[in-house]
């Protein structure tokens, strides 16, 4: 096997991906945009498999943003068929390989058929202890923080929380998935240098890797490139380089 140059000891624990460029990929080939989305599902399969085999603990994929509801209705309708198409083959694979499926985003705005598909996948994989695979659907980072604030206010009215005791850790427990760890590596395909309202809270210290590769052309090789790029970075969490070299910030 070819040498990958990846150091197994420092695989990012949480990788999040903005899967952009499906429409452009299709247009370059004279295809309909929806054919780009369908090709994108193949890249999801390849990337999930590669991440699992590399030992990534959490993989979060931005499948549908809260802003994507403004796309043409025909495109939205096609997109909403993709979760079911994906699970026709991949649910059995997830069960077999210990993958735990989770979702974040405004479930109440999704078609009932999509919610049923998601619920079944989440339920049938909930006891799995391998990679956590998170689909962000009808998701926006600001919306998630507002929803968290709403849940917090409800608990406050019930006398369950004290304003003075609130801190970052206790606030994070109100986010869509309280177990979702901070993102180590944020990957964006399709060249744009934007965060686009993806995981805002969780990307506070993320390393960002933007590639010109369009999502339907992304797979194991490109994931390995992104991880190699991540492994070349010095992560400082607000400290100086000298402090990092002196070992400040090490978990005691
Ligand atoms: C289109 C590129 C997998 C991004 C990938 C509903 C845009 C292909 C899923 C999926 C989409 C979602 C939930 C789930 C299992 C699979 C998906 C959408 C779009 C939007 F539980 N790919 N995918 N969902 N695309």
């Amino acid at each position: 096997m070819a040498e990958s140059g990846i150091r197994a000891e420092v695989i990012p624990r949480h990788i999040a991906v903005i899967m952009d460029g499906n429409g452009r990929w299709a247009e370059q080939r004279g295809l309909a945009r929806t054919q780009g989305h369908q090709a994108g599902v193949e890249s999801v399969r390849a990337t999930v498999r590669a991440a699992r085999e590399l030992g990534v603990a959490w993989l979060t994929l931005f499948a549908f943003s809260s802003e994507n509801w403004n796309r043409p209705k025909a495109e939205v309708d096609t997109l909403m068929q993709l979760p079911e198409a994906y699970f026709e083959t991949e649910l059995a694979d997830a069960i077999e390989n210990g993958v735990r499926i989770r979702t974040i985003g405004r479930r109440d705005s999704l078609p009932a058929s999509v919610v049923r598909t998601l619920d079944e996948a989440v339920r049938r994989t909930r006891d799995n202890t391998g990679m956590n695979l998170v689909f962000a659907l009808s998701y926006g980072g600001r919306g998630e923080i507002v929803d968290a604030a709403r849940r917090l206010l409800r608990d406050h009215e019930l006398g369950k929380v004290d304003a003075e005791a609130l801190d970052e850790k206790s606030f994070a427990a109100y986010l869509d998935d309280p177990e979702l760890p901070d993102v180590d590596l944020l990957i964006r395909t399709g060249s744009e240098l934007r965060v686009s309202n993806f995981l805002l809270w969780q990307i506070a210290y993320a390393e960002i890797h933007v590639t010109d590769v369009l999502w339907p052309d992304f797979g194991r090789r490109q994931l390995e490139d992104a991880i190699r790029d991540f492994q070349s970075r010095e992560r400082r969490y607000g400290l100086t380089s000298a402090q990092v070299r002196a070992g400040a910030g090490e978990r005691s």
Side-chain angles (χ1 to χ4, degrees), residues 19 22 37 40-41 44 63-64 79-80 82-83 86-87 118 135 137 215:
M19 307 184 287
N22 302 287
H37 298 317
V41 174
V44 173
F64 192 85
L79 286 166
M80 288 301 148
L82 296 183
Y86 179 82
F87 284 135
L118 297 178
F135 288 100
L137 287 167
W215 179 251

Side-chain angles (χ1 to χ4, degrees), residues 177-205:
D177 185 342
E179 295 185 275
L180 197 69
D182 276 3
V183 173
D184 298 299
L185 172 59
L186 174 65
I187 299 172
R188 180 167 189 149
T189 61
S191 315
E192 305 288 355
L193 302 176
R194 291 192 285 275
V195 166
S196 297
N197 202 20
F198 193 28
L199 306 169
L200 296 180
W201 180 275
Q202 299 89 345
I203 63 169
Y205 298 103

Side-chain angles (χ1 to χ4, degrees), residues 14 26 42 69 74 104 148 177 180 201 223 232 234-235 238 243:
H14 185 183
E42 290 309 313
W69 291 114
I104 54 174
D177 185 342
L180 197 69
W201 180 275
L223 181 66
S232 75
E234 177 193 37
R235 303 189 76 196
Q243 283 176 303

Side-chain angles (χ1 to χ4, degrees), residues 152-153 155-157 159-168 170:
L152 172 69
L153 286 168
D155 271 2
H156 184 260
E157 281 164 21
K160 290 190 191 172
V161 285
D162 165 27
E164 302 314 314
L166 186 68
D167 57 14
E168 292 175 12
S170 54

Side-chain angles (χ1 to χ4, degrees), residues 207-225:
E207 298 294 332
I208 304 180
H209 174 86
V210 176
T211 170
D212 293 346
V213 171
L214 304 177
W215 179 251
D217 294 324
F218 194 92
R220 179 180 303 265
R221 277 287 292 278
Q222 292 72 24
L223 181 66
E224 289 175 353
D225 287 345

